[in-house]
Amino acid sequence: MKLHEYQSKNIFSKFGIPIPKGRVATTAQEAKQIAEELGGRVVVKSQVLVGGRGKAGGVKLAKDPAEAEQLATQILGMEIKGLPVRKVLVDEASAIDQEIYFAITDDRAAKKPVLIISAAGGVDIEEVAAKTPEKIIKVNIDPLLGLREYQARDVAVAIDLPRDYWRDFTKIAMGLWQVYQSTDASLAEINPLVITKDKKMLALDGKMMIDDNALFRQPELAEMRDTDEDAPAEIEVRKYGLSFIKLDGDIGCMVNGAGLAMTSMDVIKLFGGEPANFLDVGGGAGAEKVAAAMRIILTDPNVKAVLFNIFGGITRCDEVAKGILVAMDEVKPKVPMVVRLVGTNAEEGRRLLENANMITAETLADAAKKAVAAAKG
Ligand code: GDP
Ligand code: MN
C-alpha cells in the first residue's frame, strides 16, 4: 500500500525528522487559507500516488495566498499519469541549497534492508541511477542490529556532507530507520532531503510503501488507505479476495492457483506471447468470483485475448464455466477467448460453454499457442 506524501511526512515528523510546516486542502479556498496562515511563499503540491509530480506540473511555488489559490485551482483540475488530483498539500516554501536522495528499502537479493543515498537527489534521480550509478551509495542494514550510527556517519562522509550537518543527518537517518522498521514499510524515501539556504535539513518530499501482508498489525496505517486512488479493478480484487497483478502484455490470464498461474504465464511467453496479468482466482472459486475476475481482466484495454486455464480440484469446472457465462453476458467481450478445463466436472463445464463462442484447448501448450495466435489477430 502506498501512502501519500502528506501521510508519509506526518509519520516522518513523529520520528523526529524535520518537515516543512503545511497542511492538506481539498479546495482552492482552503489552500489560500492555509497559505495565509503560513505567511510568505508556499509550495502547492498535488497529492497523487505516483512519482514525477514536479515534472508533470503538479508541484508549484506561490509567492502569496492569491497565487496559491490560483495554482491550487489549476492543480486540483489536473490529472497526473491518469490519476485525478483530489488534494493538494500546501507547505511553507524552502530556499534550497542542495537536494539529497535518501531512502531505506528492501534488498531482496541481500535479504536485508538497504540504505540508499545520493548527493545528486531531486527530480532527476532516475537519470543519475541510469547514467552515473557511482553517485548512488548503498549500505545494507543488519535487520537485527538495525541502522548503526557509524553507518549513518559513513554515508555522510561518502556523500561529502559538510561536518556541520553530520549531527542532523544522523538523527534523520536513525529516524528514517525507525519509520521503516516500525511501520513494516517496504520503502521509506525522502527525495529531496534538502539543505536550505539558512542551513537546515528538511524532508521536502516523502514516499512510503507499506507491506500489504503486515497491514493486519498496522491498523492505523491500514486506515490511511486512499481508495479514491485505487483503480476500480483493485477495489474489486480486494472485495473478492483475488490475487491480481497487472502486467504489460496483451493476453489476459485467468487461472486457479498461483503456481499454475505462473506456469501459464511462462508457457504463454514460451510461445512468443506476453501475459497482461497474473490472476489467481484461488481454490474453490464460485461463479461470482470468476465473473468478477473476468470483469477485471477485460477492463484492461491492452487485452487482445483471454486464456482460461482451470485445473479442477476443489474448484469445479462447471462453476467456473457458469462464472464465465455470467461475465460474458454482462461485459460482452469483443476479444477471443481460449479455454482449457481439466479435472473436476470438466465435462459439464465444457458442455456449458459449447455455445459460448470460445476457442477450446486440450493441453496448456495448445491453449497458450491458440491464445498467442488469437492475440496477434
Ligand atoms: P516529485 O516531483 O513528485 O518528486 O515532487 P517533490 O516534492 O520532490 O518536488 C519536486 C521538486 O520541486 C523538488 O525536487 C524541488 O526541486 C522542487 N520543490 C519542492 N518543494 C520546494 C520548495 O519548497 N522550494 C523550492 N525552491 N523548490 C521546491
Ligand atoms: Mn520527490
Side-chain angles (χ1 to χ4, degrees):
M1 177 180 99
K2 291 180 190 163
L3 295 183
H4 280 294
E5 173 193 3
Y6 75 93
Q7 296 169 322
S8 305
K9 291 203 304 203
N10 279 342
I11 296 172
F12 291 174
S13 164
K14 284 188 192 146
F15 288 88
I17 299 172
I19 59 167
K21 264 195 215 127
R23 253 184 326 115
V24 162
T26 51
T27 65
Q29 288 81 346
E30 222 183 314
K32 180 182 177 198
Q33 196 194 324
I34 297 169
E36 275 163 2
E37 284 166 28
L38 292 172
R41 284 153 48 92
V42 294
V43 53
V44 182
K45 313 182 76 177
S46 52
Q47 298 297 290
V48 281
L49 297 174
V50 287
R53 298 165 305 161
K55 284 191 174 168
V59 176
K60 293 243 162 77
L61 288 162
K63 60 181 181 310
D64 55 36
E67 193 179 11
E69 183 179 21
Q70 187 194 327
L71 289 173
T73 306
Q74 186 191 327
I75 293 175
L76 284 166
M78 279 174 71
E79 238 184 45
I80 298 180
K81 298 182 185 169
L83 294 174
V85 180
R86 294 192 171 89
K87 297 186 212 84
V88 289
L89 174 62
V90 183
D91 266 359
E92 211 168 59
S94 309
I96 303 173
D97 224 17
Q98 192 191 345
E99 302 195 30
I100 295 166
Y101 178 93
F102 183 34
I104 299 178
T105 186
D106 301 342
D107 181 346
R108 288 174 191 277
K111 299 180 186 153
K112 282 177 186 166
V114 61
L115 179 163
I116 304 173
I117 192 160
S118 176
V123 295
D124 291 322
I125 191 69
E126 281 84 3
E127 210 177 302
V128 174
K131 291 194 182 140
T132 47
E134 68 280 0
K135 287 191 182 162
I136 295 177
I137 291 159
K138 297 181 181 175
V139 178
N140 280 118
I141 300 168
D142 185 304
L144 298 179
L145 296 176
L147 181 68
R148 307 273 84 194
E149 288 203 10
Y150 79 85
Q151 293 180 303
R153 225 29 96 75
D154 278 356
V155 298
V157 174
I159 63 163
D160 290 324
L161 189 72
R163 188 178 272 271
D164 289 351
Y165 295 104
W166 286 6
R167 186 189 294 267
D168 285 351
F169 174 72
T170 304
K171 191 163 166 252
I172 290 169
M174 299 314 282
L176 197 66
W177 167 252
Q178 292 294 326
V179 167
Y180 167 87
Q181 198 194 31
S182 65
T183 61
D184 287 307
S186 54
L187 173 71
E189 180 189 270
I190 308 175
N191 186 35
L193 171 64
V194 298
I195 297 180
T196 62
K197 297 221 185 285
D198 51 359
K199 307 211 175 302
K200 293 205 181 75
M201 274 193 132
L202 273 180
L204 225 59
D205 188 10
K207 180 173 174 186
M208 288 182 68
M209 282 169 72
I210 311 296
D211 186 339
D212 284 328
N213 294 313
L215 287 175
F216 75 96
R217 62 180 191 189
Q218 298 285 357
E220 278 175 34
L221 296 175
E223 283 278 298
M224 291 183 190
R225 188 189 288 280
D226 184 350
T227 46
D228 279 356
E229 291 276 315
D230 288 345
E234 281 177 46
I235 297 171
E236 286 250 302
V237 163
R238 270 200 300 282
K239 183 168 156 199
Y240 288 95
L242 304 162
S243 303
F244 175 84
I245 294 161
K246 189 182 157 9
L247 301 167
D248 295 331
D250 56 8
I251 300 177
C253 306
M254 181 151 94
V255 188
N256 65 320
L260 191 61
M262 301 269 224
T263 310
S264 305
M265 288 161 51
D266 281 350
V267 176
I268 287 171
K269 282 176 170 264
L270 181 68
F271 291 109
E274 285 294 333
N277 66 277
F278 166 97
L279 195 156
D280 170 15
V281 292
E288 203 193 345
K289 202 167 170 179
V290 170
M294 197 158 138
R295 281 197 299 272
I296 292 165
I297 292 175
L298 292 170
T299 51
D300 179 352
N302 294 338
V303 168
K304 299 217 167 58
V306 182
L307 169 66
F308 297 86
N309 185 24
I310 302 296
F311 190 87
I314 301 169
T315 306
R316 289 167 38 190
C317 291
D318 56 329
E319 275 292 312
V320 172
K322 278 182 205 155
I324 294 174
L325 290 174
V326 168
M328 283 180 67
D329 204 41
E330 218 177 282
V331 192
K332 310 249 186 304
K334 288 175 192 69
V335 298
M337 299 199 274
V338 182
V339 59
R340 174 194 180 228
L341 300 173
V342 285
T344 310
N345 294 3
E347 267 312 308
E348 289 87 330
R350 275 187 220 121
R351 216 170 304 130
L352 281 167
L353 294 178
E354 233 156 46
N355 300 317
N357 195 22
M358 298 180 89
I359 304 163
T360 54
E362 288 295 316
T363 65
L364 175 51
D366 183 32
K369 270 188 228 165
K370 284 175 173 163
V372 172
K376 290 195 170 135

